[in-house]
Amino acid sequence: MMEEKLKFAVLGTGFWSDFQIKGWQEIEGVELVALCDPEGDKAEESAKRHGINRFYQDASALLENETLDFVDIISSIPSHAQLVRLAAKKGVHVICQKPMAEDFQTCKELVEVCQKAGVQFFIHENARFQLPIRACKDLIQNGEIGQPFKARLTFCSGFPVFENQPSLANLDQFIISDLGVHLLDTARFLFGEVEQIYCQTQKVNPKIKGEDVANILMRMQNGIDCFVEMSYASYLEKESFPQTLMLIEGDTGSMRLDHNHLLTLTQKGKGSSSWKVDPPVYAWADPDYALIHSSIVACNLNILSGLQGKGIGETSGADNLKTMELVFLSYDSAQHNQVMKPKHG
Ligand code: 89Y
């Protein structure tokens, strides 16, 4: 017998939602039934672009009128909390874009609200689903570099992010909450939880509100030292947006993830070998973001398996709380020039 499709609505129809919707349309087992955006004709225009019949300006009206299994919240960061609460109250499962909320207290509250309402809560945190990052995790798990003791994750770019996403320029907290959240989650995915964290930030671009450079040093619970560096003020020989470059060292070897998804494995006594780990490129992807856009599909598939009870959705609200704690501890660390220790890891 054919399985019933899970019906869902998208809340928020800005720049990112087009790709998120296309990502869902790659996947069987779900049906997008309605869209909502409070701003002008945005929901109607998005509905036309994606062939969806029903659109709303008011999320409460949408939740009142539609029979849904879940919502995918792709709206502005300040609106996440209210929309998560609204959907949970209606007994609808929730997927919410990263970063979950503007402060840690609210993140904790949202996880609790969903738990109490008996609805599943996932964060669309897609970086850990990038194929080259998965390939590195496999190499670590297969023992190819022995016991890792040191890692560097680098995302330093001069890509004009504010052209496509102008709202990023107005965030009081910019690069760690928008981008660092991906890198910190990737570090947790690869190396486990964090013992302590120290961060320094800078604002180089005078036209934006928040910080655009952050350097974060973490000691992981298993003893690995992990340095995470990010910048949108870096004009480098090779522009690598939107790739996270990595160097991971273990006691019998190392791996380097380089530009154009080139992975190099070096093993003691055996030398080095390199190969490409290219992600699938979808026709609808923006070429500048193709790597991220392919990870949208992989992330959605994982969340869907969680919603259907077929597998474990890795990026549950409860799991993502640990990533969000690192985001806010990074800001605290930079503000007070202090090493911080997570409580929830
Ligand atoms: O919003 C950000 C994200 O999630 O990936 C890259 C980005 O588009 C700009 O930093």
Side-chain angles (χ1 to χ4, degrees), residues 40-197:
D41 298 333
K42 274 174 83 175
E44 182 173 2
E45 284 161 12
S46 175
K48 275 193 198 132
R49 277 199 303 281
H50 297 289
I52 309 301
N53 293 330
R54 296 197 292 283
F55 51 87
Y56 297 79
Q57 270 193 330
D58 177 18
S60 306
L62 182 151
L63 285 158
E64 212 50 62
N65 290 343
E66 302 291 336
T67 306
L68 300 172
D69 294 295
F70 69 92
V71 290
D72 191 1
I73 299 172
I74 319 172
S75 58
S76 66
I77 308 163
S79 66
H80 287 176
Q82 182 233 340
L83 293 172
V84 172
R85 289 185 202 114
L86 207 62
K89 207 169 156 197
K90 279 278 160 203
V92 169
H93 301 307
V94 181
I95 304 173
C96 179
Q97 267 297 316
K98 51 54 70 172
M100 191 188 315
E102 289 177 297
D103 60 82
F104 191 56
Q105 202 41 46
T106 308
C107 292
K108 280 206 299 198
E109 182 222 316
L110 296 182
V111 171
E112 274 169 29
V113 161
C114 290
Q115 265 163 6
K116 282 196 185 133
V119 300
Q120 296 198 65
F121 182 31
F122 293 101
I123 301 302
H124 185 91
E125 170 46 74
N126 52 36
R128 58 163 72 197
F129 293 97
Q130 289 175 14
L131 215 55
I133 289 173
R134 292 269 147 175
C136 289
K137 170 96 170 177
D138 288 347
L139 291 177
I140 296 170
Q141 278 183 331
N142 292 341
E144 304 288 352
I145 61 164
Q147 177 59 46
F149 62 89
K150 181 179 189 303
R152 187 176 71 223
L153 275 58
T154 299
F155 195 123
C156 295
S157 165
F159 186 81
V161 274
F162 309 108
E163 285 177 15
N164 289 327
Q165 295 167 273
S167 64
L168 297 179
N170 298 322
L171 295 177
D172 288 326
Q173 297 184 327
F174 164 47
I175 201 166
I176 307 175
S177 77
D178 170 66
L179 180 72
V181 68
H182 287 311
L183 302 175
L184 293 167
D185 192 68
T186 299
R188 287 187 50 237
F189 170 67
L190 292 172
F191 310 121
E193 302 308 335
V194 172
E195 177 72 35
Q196 60 179 43
I197 182 163

Side-chain angles (χ1 to χ4, degrees), residues 10 12-25 32 35 42-43 45-50 74 97 284-286 293 296 300:
V10 160
T13 59
F15 170 70
W16 205 255
S17 70
D18 277 342
F19 305 109
Q20 190 80 15
I21 292 170
K22 291 286 184 197
W24 280 119
Q25 288 172 345
L32 175 56
L35 298 163
K42 274 174 83 175
E45 284 161 12
S46 175
K48 275 193 198 132
R49 277 199 303 281
H50 297 289
I74 319 172
Q97 267 297 316
W284 46 265
D286 178 329
H293 289 167
I296 288 179
N300 286 353

